[in-house]
Amino acid sequence: MVFKNKIKLAAFVGIALSVASLLVHLLLADYSTGDLIRHKVDDFYAVGPKFRNQNLWGPVKSLDTLQPFATPRNSYPGPNGENGFIYAKIFGGFDSIRSAICDLVTIARLLNATLVIPEIQQSLRSKSISTKFKSFSYIYNEEQFIAALSNDVVVVKSLPDDLKDARKQNKLPVVSPRYSTATSYYIGKILPRLKESKAVGLMISYGGCLESILPPNMAEYQRLRCRVAFHALQFRPEILALGNRMVERLRGSGRPYMVFHPGLVRDTLAFHGCAELFQDVHTELIQYRRSKMIEHNFLRENLSVNSMARKRNGSCPIMPEEVGLILRAMGYHPNTIIYLAGSEIFGGQRVLIPLRAMYLNLVDRTSLCSKKELSDLLGPETSLPLDLPQPPPEKSKEQLIKEWKKAGPRPRPLPPPPARPFYRHEKEGWYGWVAETDKEPEPSRMDLRLQAHRLIWDALDYLVSVEADAFIPGFHNDGSGWPDFSSLVMGHRLYQMAYATTYRPDRKTIAELLESIRGHLYHPKRNWTATVREHLNNSLGVEGLTAAAKMLKPRSFISHPLPECSCRLSKPKNIIRDITKGRDGELLYGGEPMCPDWLVNGMVSLKPPTPSQKDDVPEDNELPEDDPVPEGPPESDSGSRSEVSRSSEQDEEMDPDD
């Protein structure tokens, strides 16, 4: 009996040890992996029925002293536009348009000229958009734009009749300034022509026609850029209303939301040689575009490059799957609401599958808005033919016999395979030409209309991104110098609410971290998780902002509008100490806050480039009214990622009153 009791006791002890060993293994596994991120109860605070993690969504305390301040600080004389009129036509997408308009207003103020509402190439009526809209009013509010700049620049909707007739007869000079042109060129070359002809046309192709960093004595012009970008450029009321409804729907559950912009654009991927990231038909499409860039001297590189080496160097975007792994390491719950911004995601939904598997609440404009809400923004549009590729004409019997005789000896031919149905999706869209021809066809009228629609979708995404509780880019500051969507959003958030959670990941560092765990991406060690958190948390605050200033500001001022549009570095004697207000109580100038010490020390090293560092602008830079725009800055070392098909989309008209 005693022997049996000893056996039972030994069995019980064995089972107990086994359970204890299992618990220890589970605890060690939990500790060594970053799958389960635990937080203290004190780190959460209630938001409606849900809970919100203060470490992930809370304000960045080191930046809470930065407040928007774009009003003039010196005595600011009113405009009269007496030197003549400046009219412009802007090529490019949403980001290029927004940057170019800010530069145009600054140039008009610099030359004391009257600015005609600029024309947007993508939204001219020749693109088959609704006749309800003119060019500028397709996405922006004209009346708001004119009223908001009334104290800065005289803005009119069209040229006077006499100058309009002279323009149609090609009697007015039309200039195509290069990207980031110096102010001295406009004062020395454009101003005399403006006074002589009373009107000068500008054709802007690269997203900006004025240098980003201006001399210190031109700080008021930098603040003017901020007033244009963040106050005057308001979307038309219908876009604003729908964008606000989208934000309300995202926050309807009482939880915060994050915006992720992948930045997967075909031109950008081709410019940087990131074709091998896809390994399918998209690789061929990227390589075709890259070959055209090389052919047109936009790019001075080989067609085939090592995409993996480019990615390790930080030249390629962080893929959606990798962003999901980073967010998991940061501790974002799988139920986090993530809004997917970007009207073009090259690679389609396939590249988003891993991210959707990790974060179920991945939404975009199509899941937040009904088809009617989206179609109402487009206005009444006439139906267009689908422009589907036509099958080759059938050969006559005589032609078949002739080809048969020329073919030479052969085995007895097999009967032809049965005909299969001709599916519409196989030929419709930008990829339908790959299987049939080696040359990309010219864009159809439907393609041009869809390009115009993309401006509206980008406008909605921009509104949602600026108001987001957190923002993370997949590809920003790509090194080419041209503006991009993510950088503009980050600049707007920095101006409007610098304390908001805006991640600024370094792609080279992220690539190194991901490469170190390539064999077990979904089960990283805890030290790897801690390293990712440290990097992204540092990018939120002073360290990330200082690094962004050195990389972004020399290329695009409105992507990093500090300190000119937030605070002052010092107190010069010529700055008026008193606060001056207008009739309605609005602040005209004065009363600006002092910058924090870290910003003072970090911005001193940022100076405007010396003349030897700038591209020389040729004196004879005129173009006939209807000639194609030069496609890319010839002096650029790395070329341009502007669309190589732009010349085929050139319109004969430039007047929005056509």
Side-chain angles (χ1 to χ4, degrees):
M1 191 70 180
V2 176
F3 180 74
K4 291 184 178 180
N5 289 337
K6 289 183 178 180
I7 294 177
K8 291 181 180 180
L9 180 61
F12 178 77
V13 172
I15 294 174
L17 291 175
S18 300
V19 172
S21 176
L22 180 61
L23 291 175
V24 169
H25 279 80
L26 289 175
L27 290 174
L28 289 175
D30 187 19
Y31 182 82
S32 62
T33 62
D35 290 343
L36 300 177
I37 313 296
R38 303 190 183 279
H39 302 275
K40 297 179 180 179
V41 177
D42 297 337
D43 292 340
F44 292 82
Y45 56 90
V47 178
K50 305 295 180 182
F51 290 91
R52 177 171 173 168
N53 183 280
Q54 192 171 8
N55 292 336
L56 297 177
W57 303 99
V60 182
K61 295 181 180 180
S62 59
L63 304 181
D64 58 0
T65 58
L66 298 177
Q67 300 296 327
F69 194 98
T71 55
R73 298 176 186 175
N74 293 320
S75 180
Y76 200 69
N80 53 37
E82 61 183 9
N83 287 336
F85 293 83
I86 290 181
Y87 62 95
K89 188 174 185 180
I90 304 173
F91 294 83
F94 176 86
D95 42 6
S96 298
I97 293 167
R98 197 169 185 87
S99 299
I101 292 175
C102 296
D103 288 352
L104 275 175
V105 174
T106 307
I107 292 169
R109 174 75 190 187
L110 179 68
L111 303 181
N112 193 17
T114 299
L115 177 65
V116 181
I117 292 284
E119 303 160 21
I120 300 174
Q121 165 74 10
Q122 295 279 43
S123 60
L124 289 177
R125 289 179 183 172
S126 60
K127 300 294 185 294
S128 303
I129 66 170
S130 174
T131 56
K132 176 182 177 182
F133 306 106
K134 294 182 181 179
S135 172
F136 187 86
S137 63
Y138 191 62
I139 51 176
Y140 292 115
N141 188 333
E142 286 188 353
E143 303 300 332
Q144 164 68 18
F145 184 74
I146 296 173
L149 297 175
S150 59
N151 295 328
D152 301 295
V153 178
V154 179
V155 184
V156 296
K157 293 186 177 181
S158 62
L159 287 169
D161 292 338
D162 57 337
L163 292 177
K164 190 181 295 184
D165 293 337
R167 177 185 176 185
K168 292 180 179 179
Q169 299 173 14
N170 294 334
K171 294 182 178 179
L172 299 179
V174 179
V175 179
S176 179
R178 291 179 180 172
Y179 182 80
S180 191
T181 300
T183 55
S184 58
Y185 171 74
Y186 293 100
I187 296 175
K189 304 296 182 182
I190 302 298
L191 184 57
R193 300 180 185 181
L194 179 64
K195 292 181 177 179
E196 179 183 357
S197 59
K198 292 302 178 184
V200 171
L202 299 180
M203 304 186 80
I204 306 173
S205 307
Y206 322 119
C209 52
L210 186 64
E211 57 188 342
S212 176
I213 300 181
L214 299 178
N217 60 347
M218 301 184 70
E220 290 299 341
Y221 291 92
Q222 299 288 56
R223 281 185 278 277
L224 174 57
R225 279 172 160 170
C226 293
R227 291 197 292 277
V228 177
F230 310 132
H231 298 281
L233 274 180
Q234 299 290 335
F235 300 113
R236 56 184 169 94
E238 298 86 352
I239 297 178
L240 279 175
L242 182 56
N244 292 333
R245 288 201 300 271
M246 293 169 66
V247 174
E248 292 175 359
R249 291 166 185 173
L250 286 168
R251 290 181 174 153
S253 62
R255 291 185 292 169
Y257 74 93
M258 171 186 287
V259 170
F260 165 53
H261 183 261
L264 297 176
V265 181
R266 181 184 176 192
D267 288 344
T268 305
L269 296 168
F271 181 83
H272 292 286
C274 305
E276 296 175 12
L277 299 182
F278 295 89
Q279 297 293 335
D280 56 10
V281 68
H282 295 87
T283 299
E284 298 182 32
L285 293 169
I286 293 173
Q287 287 296 84
Y288 178 86
R289 180 58 58 89
R290 184 174 173 85
S291 67
K292 290 301 177 183
M293 289 182 174
I294 296 174
E295 179 182 337
H296 290 82
N297 293 324
F298 292 157
L299 195 59
R300 296 183 178 95
E301 291 182 355
N302 296 326
L303 176 62
S304 298
V305 294
N306 189 339
S307 298
M308 297 301 108
R310 292 291 177 95
K311 183 174 179 61
R312 287 191 293 270
N313 192 39
S315 299
C316 292
I318 307 173
M319 297 301 286
E321 178 185 11
E322 298 168 340
V323 171
L325 295 171
I326 293 170
L327 295 180
R328 279 181 28 153
M330 286 296 296
Y332 284 97
H333 194 273
N335 288 332
T336 300
I337 301 174
I338 300 179
Y339 181 85
L340 190 67
S343 59
E344 176 185 355
I345 301 178
F346 195 75
Q349 294 297 314
R350 181 185 65 84
V351 300
L352 299 174
I353 291 176
L355 181 61
R356 290 189 185 277
M358 286 182 274
Y359 289 93
L360 304 179
N361 292 327
L362 185 65
V363 298
D364 57 13
R365 67 177 182 278
T366 58
S367 55
L368 284 179
C369 307
S370 64
K371 291 184 178 180
K372 185 178 185 306
E373 287 177 322
L374 296 176
S375 62
D376 287 345
L377 293 181
L378 307 177
E381 295 179 334
T382 58
S383 58
L384 293 176
L386 295 177
D387 293 328
L388 294 178
Q390 299 297 325
E394 294 185 5
K395 297 180 180 180
S396 63
K397 184 177 180 180
E398 291 75 13
Q399 289 177 321
L400 293 174
I401 294 175
K402 187 176 180 180
E403 292 179 0
W404 177 269
K405 292 180 178 180
K406 285 184 177 181
R410 68 187 63 77
R412 184 176 180 179
L414 296 174
R420 70 177 184 86
F422 183 84
Y423 295 107
R424 173 176 162 183
H425 70 270
E426 294 178 317
K427 304 298 179 186
E428 186 178 2
W430 46 262
Y431 51 82
W433 57 274
V434 175
E436 291 196 353
T437 177
D438 294 333
K439 183 178 180 181
E440 186 171 3
E442 295 293 331
S444 64
R445 294 181 63 189
M446 180 61 72
D447 293 333
L448 298 179
R449 174 183 284 184
L450 293 178
Q451 290 178 7
H453 292 175
R454 195 173 295 161
L455 297 179
I456 296 181
W457 311 147
D458 280 333
L460 290 174
D461 291 346
Y462 188 87
L463 286 170
V464 176
S465 300
V466 170
E467 296 296 329
D469 297 277
F471 179 81
I472 182 168
F475 200 43
H476 75 291
N477 185 30
D478 60 5
S480 65
W482 280 262
D484 60 85
F485 184 93
S486 293
S487 296
L488 294 185
V489 169
M490 295 164 74
H492 198 150
R493 290 170 62 85
L494 181 60
Y495 169 81
Q496 180 173 300
M497 44 184 185
Y499 54 85
T501 302
T502 304
Y503 293 105
R504 303 172 183 89
D506 180 82
R507 292 189 299 277
K508 184 176 181 179
T509 302
I510 295 297
E512 292 174 354
L513 289 172
L514 292 170
E515 190 66 26
S516 65
I517 60 164
R518 183 60 59 187
H520 43 90
L521 285 173
Y522 286 85
H523 299 282
K525 301 297 183 182
R526 186 172 181 84
N527 57 350
W528 183 88
T529 301
T531 305
V532 172
R533 290 185 189 176
E534 181 182 6
H535 173 70
L536 288 184
N537 287 332
N538 289 340
S539 73
L540 292 173
V542 174
E543 181 179 334
L545 208 57
T546 304
K550 297 177 182 178
M551 299 178 67
L552 283 174
K553 190 169 183 178
R555 298 181 175 94
S556 174
F557 173 76
I558 59 174
S559 296
H560 194 89
L562 296 183
E564 292 88 344
C565 299
S566 179
C567 54
R568 55 182 171 83
L569 297 175
S570 60
K571 189 72 173 181
K573 297 180 180 179
N574 60 344
I575 289 187
I576 298 177
R577 296 177 181 274
D578 299 330
I579 298 176
T580 304
K581 296 185 178 181
R583 296 178 180 178
D584 299 332
E586 74 277 10
L587 184 64
L588 296 181
Y589 55 85
E592 67 279 6
M594 187 67 183
C595 290
D597 293 338
W598 63 265
L599 186 57
V600 174
N601 299 330
M603 294 294 117
V604 170
S605 60
L606 291 180
K607 298 179 180 179
T610 59
S612 61
Q613 295 174 327
K614 301 174 186 175
D615 289 335
D616 296 330
V617 181
E619 294 185 7
D620 187 8
N621 207 20
E622 293 190 10
L623 289 175
E625 181 85 14
D626 296 328
D627 282 357
V629 181
E631 302 183 28
E635 300 297 327
S636 175
D637 293 335
S638 57
S640 167
R641 61 185 175 93
S642 302
E643 294 185 6
V644 297
S645 60
R646 185 178 58 240
S647 60
S648 64
E649 302 172 18
Q650 177 75 16
D651 287 325
E652 289 78 8
E653 81 286 346
M654 286 184 63
D655 195 343
D657 295 328
D658 57 339

